[in-house]
Amino acid sequence: MALVAVGIATRLGQDPVQTAVGAGLAVAAAVPLFLCRPRLGLGLAAVATAGVVLLGNADSHSIAWFALVVLAGWCVLSGGVAVGIAYWTGTLLLFGAEWLWAFRDPGWAPWAAGVTVSVLAALLIRHEFVLVERLRAAQLDLTERTRAEERTRIARELHDVIAHSLTVALLHVTSARLAVEHDPADAARALAEAERLGRQSLVEVRATVGLLRETPSDGPATRVAPPVPGFADLPALIDQLQCAGADVSLTVSGDLEALPETAGATVYRIVQEALTNATRHALGSPVAVRIAAGDSGVEVFVDSAGPPGNGSGMGLANMAERAKALGGTCTAGAGPGGRGWRVNASLPVRAERSPLR
């Protein structure tokens, strides 16, 4: 509008009719072009350009031509690259025609250069806008993926905790049911152990679910994550199953203390899930757990003499995901010679040795 006003001020006294027509065309086309961004942007830009031509009256010294520089940049930003290039091409042809048809005036070259610079700058700005939109989309996708991974992690932890605790508690309840008539004291002991496991499971579930809640940003965090089990907790896990009547043995070779805590937590959860499945599907069959730690990593074998049962497969998927997170593998299938069932996990973790060793 300011450029049109300047053009009117400089041309009104010379040719009022042409000036009024040019100003009317420029304003009538520029207002919807800049405010509404219609689909007919190139056509409106052409009409506004015609109005500027009438205002400029083939005089390269008129400031009204600066409106074409603004229109060129706006066509790129609002209409896209194709519209901007089309308008830029038409503007260069217009300046060339003014230079050849009216009179040879070198002043048209700077206007052509100004339009070109405006188009190039608008292209760079539009490119930045596109990059910003892509970054926002990528950030949104990353956020959703992180949330999905967190939900999967929480579901995996809940599955491992609840499945193991309920399986062992059910063993104690079954033992109590069988002993209630002949050995009430043993039945009471089994029920007390089942109650303890139930309470322990409830505490672990509450602690795990509590991690989903956000702590206030204006105060210290009051919720502490539950301790992560590791290699040191494996004997207690075996004792827990043995007290419930399961035939489970543990053999360890190598220096487990030299392995990182992440490996210990992964091995514990894999052994826990494998023993839970073996106890659930092959109750009474002996189960042997072997853990071998070496320089290249740790190997875990859980061999059950009983045949596997039918399950949802979530536990097997959890074990495979835990091993994959450390760059390892976890497979489950028939044992040696096609008998029984074996879970084999291989974790390529390196030992953390202190400088004094």
Side-chain angles (χ1 to χ4, degrees), residues 21-307:
V21 173
L25 288 176
V27 173
V31 170
L33 176 63
F34 282 92
L35 297 182
C36 303
R37 299 186 183 182
R39 296 181 179 179
L40 301 177
L42 186 59
L44 291 174
V47 174
T49 301
V52 173
V53 171
L54 293 177
L55 286 175
N57 194 30
D59 183 9
S60 64
H61 298 86
S62 176
I63 195 63
W65 295 109
F66 194 80
L68 302 189
V69 178
V70 178
L71 285 173
W74 185 255
C75 286
V76 175
L77 295 177
S78 62
V81 177
V83 174
I85 296 299
Y87 184 82
W88 171 71
T89 303
T91 305
L92 292 184
L93 293 176
L94 171 64
F95 287 142
E98 291 282 1
W99 182 62
L100 294 175
W101 178 63
F103 56 89
R104 295 186 177 275
D105 183 359
W108 297 110
W111 289 120
V115 171
T116 302
V117 172
S118 177
V119 170
L120 292 177
L123 288 174
L124 291 177
I125 295 174
R126 185 176 180 85
H127 179 67
E128 293 298 324
F129 285 161
V130 172
L131 289 181
V132 170
E133 291 298 327
R134 290 180 179 176
L135 287 175
R136 288 178 178 175
Q139 184 179 16
L140 180 60
D141 180 69
L142 180 61
T143 301
E144 292 298 328
R145 189 179 304 177
T146 302
R147 290 176 179 174
E149 292 178 353
E150 183 66 13
R151 288 194 296 267
T152 301
R153 186 186 70 84
I154 296 297
R156 186 167 57 234
E157 292 293 332
L158 290 176
H159 174 272
D160 292 347
V161 170
I162 295 176
H164 174 74
S165 298
L166 288 181
T167 299
V168 179
L170 286 176
L171 289 179
H172 284 290
V173 171
T174 302
S175 177
R177 180 177 58 83
L178 297 177
V180 67
E181 295 182 358
H182 307 287
D183 193 349
D186 185 64
R189 181 196 59 79
L191 289 175
E193 183 65 17
E195 180 183 6
R196 186 191 67 80
L197 289 173
R199 294 182 183 278
Q200 177 183 345
S201 176
L202 183 60
V203 171
E204 293 181 358
V205 168
R206 285 177 176 174
T208 304
V209 174
L211 296 177
L212 296 175
R213 301 178 180 176
E214 297 181 356
T215 56
S217 58
D218 56 349
T222 57
R223 185 173 290 105
V224 181
V228 179
F231 291 119
D233 301 290
L234 285 173
L237 176 66
I238 301 300
D239 292 340
Q240 190 180 74
L241 288 167
Q242 290 176 345
C243 291
D247 185 2
V248 183
S249 62
L250 173 65
T251 303
V252 178
S253 61
D255 186 9
L256 296 181
E257 295 181 356
L259 298 177
E261 294 183 359
T262 53
T266 301
V267 169
Y268 180 90
R269 290 303 189 192
I270 289 177
V271 172
Q272 182 187 50
E273 180 61 28
L275 292 178
T276 300
N277 291 338
T279 304
R280 183 191 308 165
H281 300 306
L283 182 62
S285 300
V287 183
V289 180
R290 292 184 293 116
I291 301 176
D295 295 335
S296 60
V298 57
E299 292 282 341
V300 180
F301 300 92
V302 181
D303 292 304
S304 174

